[in-house]
Amino acid sequence: MKKLYLAYPRGFCAGVRRALEIVEAALIKSHDTVHVYHEIVHNDYVVNKLKSRGVVFVNNLEEVPEGGIIIFSAHGVSAAIEKQAKERSLRIIDATCPLVKKIHIRGEALIRKGYIVFIVGHHNHPEIKGTIGQLHGDAFVIENKSDVQKAVKNISPDSKVAYLTQTTLSVSETRDTINEMKKFFPDIEGDSDICYATTNRQEAVKMIAAKCDTVLIIGSSNSSNSNRLREVAENHGTRAFLINDFTEIEPKMLDKAEVIGISAGASAPDCLVHDLCEQLEKRGWPKPELLESKSEHIIFPVPEIRL
Ligand code: SF4
């Protein structure tokens, strides 16, 4: 019998809501063009909607005119980008998630205390580029467990070492990577920085994956936490697909699907989830049943925007 399950928590986290409210506030307060450094959050729908309202996304601060408005994305930026923005007299609005800021502060404090810092995360992800660029000392990125040996080979086992992690990693893979590091540095200091939203969404997907033969995750291909949700479902033995929205459903995804679970990455808006449910209902699935693994009430206040 066909069934549809909807995971909770899913979709927007507090950091994404805050970043989008900051952009809204800037659009309301200013008649000048609002620029955003990188995608404000990794979601095609969100970014395209903001573009249609005049927001300009840049990957290079040279693209912003002197004195222009620049918003730093939820992923955070390096100290060099902050400096460059100031040198160009840009009007800076920082939408970095407070949980990412906390990692920058902790990392820099470790460096000042003489630690070598390992950052577990993806080299090319803007959050990791921002974090490593905030640390003024010895810091190295480790992508995964198999990276550890290479990363530690020139570091004396007696060194003071610590680790930080990206906020949107797989909880279980990160645990494996940290355990591998502990083989070389049993006293390594650190804590996982995988955030509450990533952890809760992965738990909720595990719960639906156990009941479903197919899991559909709404999210964009460059969204780290959305990709991890698809992997978590797959690791629990379920077919899983990452799609931007219902228009990306391919016949093979629904072939042999009876019990479908739906979730969404932390940067994916809920309207896309509702559209997907509606489309599945048109194809014979019943209204979705909500499976709640945990309640979530975290809110990050939006700072006052001065332009
Ligand atoms: Fe902040 Fe976590 Fe959301 Fe990233 S996923 S913006 S760290 S709350």
Side-chain angles (χ1 to χ4, degrees), residues 13-16 41 74-75 97-100 127 167-168 193 195-198 225 266 300:
C13 60
V16 164
V41 298
H75 311 104
C97 176
L99 300 181
V100 175
E127 181 185 319
T167 55
T168 51
D193 298 290
C195 76
Y196 82 93
T198 300
N225 77 85
F300 294 143

Side-chain angles (χ1 to χ4, degrees), residues 5-11 196-211 229 232 262-263 289-297:
Y5 288 109
L6 202 48
Y8 184 85
R10 64 168 188 279
Y196 82 93
T198 300
T199 308
N200 291 351
R201 279 149 192 70
Q202 288 180 18
E203 282 305 311
V205 161
K206 270 190 219 166
M207 198 165 145
I208 54 166
K211 287 181 171 280
L229 293 182
V232 164
I262 297 174
S263 186
E289 184 181 320
L290 191 69
L291 282 185
E292 179 171 336
S293 66
K294 189 172 192 170
S295 56
E296 211 176 75
H297 306 285

Side-chain angles (χ1 to χ4, degrees), residues 12 23 31 97 127 130-131 164 172 233 240 279 288 305:
F12 280 1
V23 179
H31 295 299
C97 176
E127 181 185 319
T131 299
L164 310 167
S172 58
Q279 289 301 318
I305 308 295

Side-chain angles (χ1 to χ4, degrees), residues 59-241:
N59 290 318
N60 186 336
L61 293 185
E62 300 288 330
E63 296 170 55
V64 186
E66 289 262 340
I69 298 171
I70 187 74
I71 300 181
F72 295 149
S73 78
H75 311 104
V77 296
S78 66
I81 291 294
E82 288 173 340
K83 183 166 171 267
Q84 193 191 359
K86 281 181 196 149
E87 282 167 0
R88 291 180 58 75
S89 309
L90 302 184
R91 284 173 279 165
I92 301 168
I93 306 172
D94 192 353
T96 304
C97 176
L99 300 181
V100 175
K101 275 271 180 220
K102 213 166 112 189
I103 298 172
H104 294 175
I105 293 165
R106 190 157 66 84
E108 190 55 9
L110 287 164
I111 294 278
R112 278 170 204 236
K113 285 186 202 156
Y115 282 86
I116 295 170
V117 176
F118 294 109
I119 305 170
V120 183
H122 302 293
H123 283 281
N124 290 324
H125 193 279
E127 181 185 319
I128 290 303
K129 288 185 178 172
T131 299
I132 198 151
Q134 285 287 342
L135 308 188
H136 302 89
D138 286 336
F140 304 94
V141 178
I142 290 185
E143 288 249 350
N144 49 41
K145 188 177 163 185
S146 50
D147 247 12
V148 172
Q149 192 152 10
K150 193 168 60 172
V152 304
K153 79 169 185 262
N154 294 324
I155 298 173
S156 154
D158 305 326
S159 308
K160 268 170 79 173
V161 289
Y163 68 86
L164 310 167
T165 76
Q166 189 175 327
T167 55
T168 51
L169 299 177
S170 149
V171 173
S172 58
E173 272 180 35
T174 305
R175 198 182 305 125
D176 290 348
T177 307
I178 292 166
N179 286 339
E180 188 68 15
M181 287 196 288
K182 285 184 175 167
K183 288 184 190 165
F184 296 91
F185 305 109
D187 298 326
I188 190 167
E189 286 205 18
D191 254 327
S192 163
D193 298 290
I194 297 173
C195 76
Y196 82 93
T198 300
T199 308
N200 291 351
R201 279 149 192 70
Q202 288 180 18
E203 282 305 311
V205 161
K206 270 190 219 166
M207 198 165 145
I208 54 166
K211 287 181 171 280
C212 300
D213 52 57
T214 305
V215 168
L216 299 175
I217 305 291
I218 296 277
S220 293
S221 57
N222 60 345
S223 159
S224 173
N225 77 85
S226 303
N227 276 292
R228 301 297 81 75
L229 293 182
R230 181 184 52 74
E231 287 167 9
V232 164
E234 278 176 352
N235 292 340
H236 280 73
T238 316
R239 294 181 335 141
F241 303 96

